[in-house]
């Protein structure tokens, strides 16, 4: 069972701001509502709100816990709230339902005293929904407070395995089924994977090559990371408080993201190795690392994205030698075979990053997977056309869903006898600072949060053989 979170602030009267609600809870509520109504991302919006409202230390930590905890646990809390309400959840006004979810999280997964959790949440309900709705919230939350989480799960979790795991670990049923399929023979790890999706991830830093060092990050309070030679882990605190991060010499990037870029850069090539391409570069994390590695070899990277605002983010992440362009990667203007190495990190459901973006589980659907499929296939086909004979392509997606990973690659390669699959786990082993367990038997590689502590990143390495060189040999 997922552990209860620790309250990061001592119980007591909420800090007042001249308004009737507690600013910490109001901040969490505002971010949750923005996620629901504007498709905002909590990991981008929350830090800005904390700065705007002057929340630091324990207050900032509590606002973060309430925001992410409520977003992660929504499926569980809705099942409990449905048992405690005399209204169907779909008939409860959306702002009030968000307040109730926030209250349920405090009652069921934090150490905030129940009376304080109920009182502050009812006060918030009064402010956003009115006195009448506050009375309703009070009645519902008192019922929620009558049992602990384990007792509620005994009542609300369905008996079938998928339903039980869906409610217990707050994942939609279709995601539970998809993850089970993706694990294959390792289906016994499903509960561990679902639990890992609900863990608060540590912040992974990257020391940009030739601009910062891991030793500098460690001296600033980070801890060693197990795999990437450029990574360090920040267990607490604001990354922007580190000089190298604030100055742009270091950044935040998951270890799996670092390793797939490094693996692409490390695959041996015959002949020219001067022109590299990142076909879907926004927001620029992998492009920044590839650009730095390329510069050390007198190679140059072209980083492209179809969205102008994402291309602007890429521009900030790379050096002046790197070309950045707004390009539709599925139908680019350059000639075939123009590049030696190509990264195609395709748009996907993001199911591999549910630890960092818990709201994605509620935004995506099986229809989303189907809609993305043609785009993913088109981008991979374009990447294969863009690489020269003898060059290499990395197909990457931050999802373990089979329909976004091996199925896409296998479908495209059915019509591409000019492409061979390389051993991705072996390539990753070459660039990792420590052994990487259980990436798969190959030729594809799949990272997992419960095994590696990373996002569930998938990688296929593909080469277009150089027939002339093969004939000459």
């Amino acid at each position: 069972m997922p552990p209860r979170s620790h309250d990061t602030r001592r119980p007591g009267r909420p800090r007042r701001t001249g308004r009737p609600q507690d600013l910490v809870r109001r901040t969490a509520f505002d971010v949750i509502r923005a996620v629901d109504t504007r498709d905002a991302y909590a990991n981008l919006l929350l830090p800005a709100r904390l700065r705007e409202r002057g929340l630091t230390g324990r207050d900032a930590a509590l606002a973060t816990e309430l925001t992410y905890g409520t977003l992660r646990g929504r499926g569980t809390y809705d099942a409990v709230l449905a048992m405690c309400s005399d209204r169907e959840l779909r008939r409860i006004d959306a702002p009030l339902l968000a307040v109730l979810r926030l209250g349920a999280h405090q009652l069921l997964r934090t150490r905030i005293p129940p009376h304080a959790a109920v009182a502050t949440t009812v006060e918030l309900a009064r402010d956003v929904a009115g006195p009448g709705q506050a009375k309703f919230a009070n009645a519902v939350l008192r019922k929620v407070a009558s049992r602990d989480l384990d007792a509620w799960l005994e009542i609300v979790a369905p008996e079938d395995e998928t339903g039980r795991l869906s409610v217990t670990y707050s994942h939609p049923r279709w995601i539970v089924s998809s993850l089970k399929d993706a694990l294959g023979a390792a289906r016994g790890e499903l509960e561990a994977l679902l639990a890992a999706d609900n863990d608060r991830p540590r912040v992974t830093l990257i020391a940009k090559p030739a601009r910062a060092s891991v030793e500098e990050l460690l001296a600033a309070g980070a801890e060693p990371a197990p795999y990437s030679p450029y990574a360090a882990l920040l267990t607490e605190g604001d990354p922007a408080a580190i000089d190298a991060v604030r100055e742009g010499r270091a950044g935040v990037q998951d270890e799996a993201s670092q390793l797939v870029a490094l693996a692409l850069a490390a695959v041996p090539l015959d002949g020219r190795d001067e022109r590299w391409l990142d076909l879907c570069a926004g927001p620029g994390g992998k492009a920044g690392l590839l650009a730095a590695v390329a510069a050390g070899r007198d190679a140059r990277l072209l980083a492209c994205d179809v969205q102008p605002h994402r291309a602007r983010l890429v521009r900030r992440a790379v050096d002046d030698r790197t070309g950045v362009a707004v390009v539709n990667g599925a139908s680019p203007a350059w000639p075939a075979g123009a590049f030696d190495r190509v990264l195609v990190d395709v748009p996907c459901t993001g199911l591999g990053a549910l630890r960092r973006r818990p709201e994605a589980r509620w935004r995506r659907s099986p229809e989303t997977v189907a809609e993305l499929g043609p785009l993913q296939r088109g981008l991979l086909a374009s990447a294969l056309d863009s690489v020269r004979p003898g060059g290499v392509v990395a197909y990457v997606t931050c999802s373990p869903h089979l329909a976004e990973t091996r199925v896409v690659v296998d479908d495209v390669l059915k019509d591409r006898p000019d492409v061979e699959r390389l051993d991705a786990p072996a390539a990753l082993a070459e660039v990792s600072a420590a052994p990487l367990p259980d990436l798969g038997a190959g030729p594809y590689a799949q990272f997992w949060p419960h095994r590696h502590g990373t996002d569930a990143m998938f990688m296929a390495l593909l080469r277009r053989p150089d027939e002339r060189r093969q004939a000459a040999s």
Side-chain angles (χ1 to χ4, degrees), residues 348-353 397-402 404-405 446 456-458:
C348 68
T349 56
L351 299 185
T397 181
C398 191
S399 170
H401 197 299
L402 294 178
E404 300 190 90
T405 57
Q446 179 68 64
M457 192 78 63
F458 170 89

Side-chain angles (χ1 to χ4, degrees), residues 49-134:
R49 291 291 178 268
L50 295 177
R51 288 192 297 271
E52 289 171 5
R53 297 175 184 186
L55 294 175
T56 59
R58 290 178 175 175
D59 285 338
L62 180 57
T64 300
E65 164 61 27
L66 296 182
T67 302
Y68 281 100
T70 302
L71 291 171
R72 289 188 190 103
R74 176 176 134 178
T76 305
Y77 304 146
D78 280 3
V80 175
L81 290 169
M83 293 286 294
C84 296
S85 172
D86 57 6
R87 305 179 200 169
E88 295 182 28
L89 296 191
R90 63 187 179 87
R91 297 188 180 279
I92 298 175
D93 290 343
L96 180 59
L97 182 56
V99 171
L100 293 174
R101 289 167 175 161
L102 185 58
H105 175 67
Q106 295 173 73
L107 289 167
L108 299 178
R109 279 204 174 98
T110 76
R111 295 180 180 177
I112 298 172
H115 68 276
V118 171
T120 54
T121 307
V122 169
E123 187 176 359
L124 179 60
R126 180 176 294 109
D127 185 68
V128 303
Q133 301 287 36

Side-chain angles (χ1 to χ4, degrees), residues 27 39 42 61 97 104 156 209 236 238 265 345 349 364 367 390 415:
T27 299
D39 283 342
L97 182 56
V156 302
E236 60 182 15
D238 182 1
D345 183 3
T349 56
R364 307 307 188 192
E367 290 73 28
D415 301 321

Side-chain angles (χ1 to χ4, degrees), residues 154-242:
E154 289 290 330
I155 297 170
V156 302
E159 293 184 2
D160 67 287
E161 182 189 37
T162 301
R164 176 181 65 81
L165 295 176
S166 173
V167 171
T168 300
Y169 293 100
S170 191
H171 286 62
R173 277 178 173 265
W174 74 272
I175 293 182
V176 175
S177 297
S178 299
L179 293 177
K180 184 176 181 180
D181 291 342
L183 284 167
R187 290 179 177 184
E189 300 178 21
L190 180 57
E191 286 203 51
L193 171 57
L194 296 171
D197 274 350
N198 289 336
D199 286 342
R200 181 190 297 181
R202 294 180 292 183
V203 175
T204 304
L205 304 175
I206 179 170
K208 297 181 181 180
R211 301 188 64 193
S213 67
V214 171
E215 289 72 23
E216 181 180 359
L217 299 180
L218 298 181
E223 298 179 359
Y227 303 122
S228 170
Y230 300 108
L233 299 173
L234 190 63
T235 57
E236 60 182 15
D238 182 1
I242 296 176

Side-chain angles (χ1 to χ4, degrees), residues 280-284 305-315 324 357:
C280 307
D305 203 277
V306 70
Q307 299 291 342
H309 73 280
R310 290 173 66 84
R312 287 193 292 270
L313 294 175
V314 175
R315 179 74 273 169
V324 178
R357 290 183 172 174

